[in-house]
Amino acid sequence: MGVVDGGWRAGRRATVKGNWKKWLLAGLMFAAPAAQGATIWEPRLRVTAEERFDDDLRLGGDGTGQLMTKLTPRLGLEAKDARLTLDSFYAADLLMRHGSGRTTLDHRGGLEARQLLSRTLRLDAAVRVFRVTDPSSLPRDGLARSTLPTFFTQATLGVTNRVTQRMDVRAGYRFEAVRIIDVGQQAGYAHTPSLEAWYRTTRRLSLGLEYRYQGFLYDGSLSQAHGAALGLRYRLTRPTTLTVRGGPVRYLAPLGQQGGWVPRVNVELQREGELLDVGVSAGHDLVGANGFTNALWADYASVLLARRFNQKFSVFGAASFFRNGVAPSVEWTVFRGASRVSQGYAVSGGVEYRIDRRLAAQGAVDRIAQVGLADSASTVDLTRNVFAVRLVVTPW
């Protein structure tokens, strides 16, 4: 009996020892739905310390430039699960000028979220808010028209539904607001709902059709625009996509002002690769929410490049140009010298060396110039050059 009992125990231990992996796998499979359903929240912190030379007259200099120290703590919160992706942040830019002794504090915040409501329905939203003393730091060209602090916000909301295996329909809404922070200045608003459909004719080519409404509000005056556009989206390579949109826009001006037709053209080339990122955009369109007038026509072009040579070293560069004037198309063929046409450009470049996972060093050069001064609240020189070195710390 003892021998039989001992043999049974030995066989049982052998059986358990041989099957423990199967039991573990079964347990993981049973617990997988609960694990997938849990939302993972991760806080983020990044601190940037920058020393720069800046000859911007608007920031309190005397025209010869001065050294400045800039500290930027950035606190973020990320969330992710099987259906939700969320990224939010708040950043404060503290700029201390050694020459004049002047100190300014700017604020930036943002949130991006994407929620899969079902297998065919997706919701996406994004909000960005800026309160800055340097309008040239805003993400939209043409807003740096004065020496005054500026409030700018931009929000988008969209719902995309896969109607068939080949067709997606998207309803979207975009909101922008700009206010020059000064006595007597009014805020400008732009409301842009849209409806578009994209049909995949092949694995690479999609064709689109869009209707867009624009409502521009400034100083109690409302103007509107209705536009239709055809679109083409073509995947040149796996990481590279070309998108083209074009069509007419009918501008309905406020009472007593001139309306008319505005052409809308936009070309975008996007590449996101392991070592090289490229973004190219150019076009002509109708825009609003600039803080000085109701609506503007705008020409724009931009190029963004980022090249990673290895895990530690990378270079980046950007260039942009804008030109705009009073809508719908007054003097839009004039490049220079028109009192109602503004234009400007920005060029920047830099290098980054990542010391380790939490620490990186950067060097950057920027030149920003405003050629025209149409509708400007000030006639100061808006040209500036910036030379900066940065230390970026990401503790978590």
Side-chain angles (χ1 to χ4, degrees), residues 76-323:
L77 182 64
E78 298 179 3
K80 189 172 184 180
D81 60 28
R83 292 180 174 271
L84 172 67
T85 301
L86 183 144
D87 184 7
S88 61
F89 77 94
Y90 165 76
D93 298 318
L94 179 64
L95 190 61
M96 298 167 285
R97 299 162 183 82
H98 304 320
S100 63
R102 184 185 174 198
T103 300
T104 58
L105 180 63
D106 293 348
H107 305 273
R108 296 177 288 119
L111 182 147
E112 293 185 11
R114 172 176 290 191
Q115 175 75 48
L116 297 178
L117 303 177
S118 69
R119 295 180 61 184
T120 60
L121 193 63
R122 184 181 76 242
L123 173 70
D124 57 86
V127 179
R128 294 189 295 177
V129 180
F130 301 81
R131 197 282 187 191
V132 297
T133 54
D134 176 14
S136 66
S137 66
L138 293 173
R140 208 183 83 190
D141 288 337
L143 294 178
R145 298 186 172 201
S146 76
T147 62
L148 301 171
T150 303
F151 173 84
F152 174 70
T153 185
Q154 188 179 73
T156 59
L157 178 65
V159 178
T160 304
N161 184 31
R162 175 156 293 182
V163 180
T164 68
Q165 290 185 347
R166 290 180 174 265
M167 178 175 287
D168 291 342
V169 176
R170 173 182 169 83
Y173 171 73
R174 184 185 184 93
F175 170 78
E176 288 185 322
V178 177
R179 183 177 183 273
I180 309 302
I181 304 175
D182 192 27
V183 177
Q185 291 290 332
Q186 302 293 323
Y189 304 93
H191 303 270
T192 309
S194 61
L195 182 65
E196 58 184 315
W198 287 91
Y199 182 78
R200 289 178 292 279
T201 59
T202 66
R203 294 182 62 182
R204 291 191 171 190
L205 177 64
S206 296
L207 301 178
L209 179 64
E210 179 191 27
Y211 165 75
R212 184 187 70 178
Y213 168 84
Q214 293 172 289
F216 307 107
L217 182 64
Y218 175 73
D219 197 17
S221 177
L222 175 67
S223 60
Q224 304 174 76
H226 300 271
L230 297 176
L232 180 148
R233 183 179 294 140
Y234 187 76
R235 178 171 292 180
L236 301 174
T237 62
R238 184 181 296 272
T240 308
T241 302
L242 173 68
T243 304
V244 180
R245 297 174 190 256
V249 177
R250 176 61 175 173
Y251 176 61
L252 306 175
L255 185 64
Q257 300 182 23
Q258 178 186 359
W261 292 91
V262 178
R264 178 192 178 193
V265 180
N266 176 252
V267 180
E268 293 183 359
L269 180 68
Q270 299 290 335
R271 185 190 191 280
E272 295 184 1
E274 182 179 353
L275 298 177
L276 177 65
D277 293 339
V278 178
V280 180
S281 178
H284 178 88
D285 204 350
L286 195 66
V287 299
N290 62 81
F292 288 102
T293 188
N294 203 282
L296 299 171
W297 59 263
D299 292 329
Y300 56 91
S302 65
V303 178
L304 303 173
L305 298 171
R307 175 70 163 88
R308 290 172 293 279
F309 293 92
N310 50 50
Q311 293 183 348
K312 291 182 175 293
F313 183 71
S314 62
V315 299
F316 53 90
S320 64
F321 170 80
F322 78 92
R323 190 166 59 92

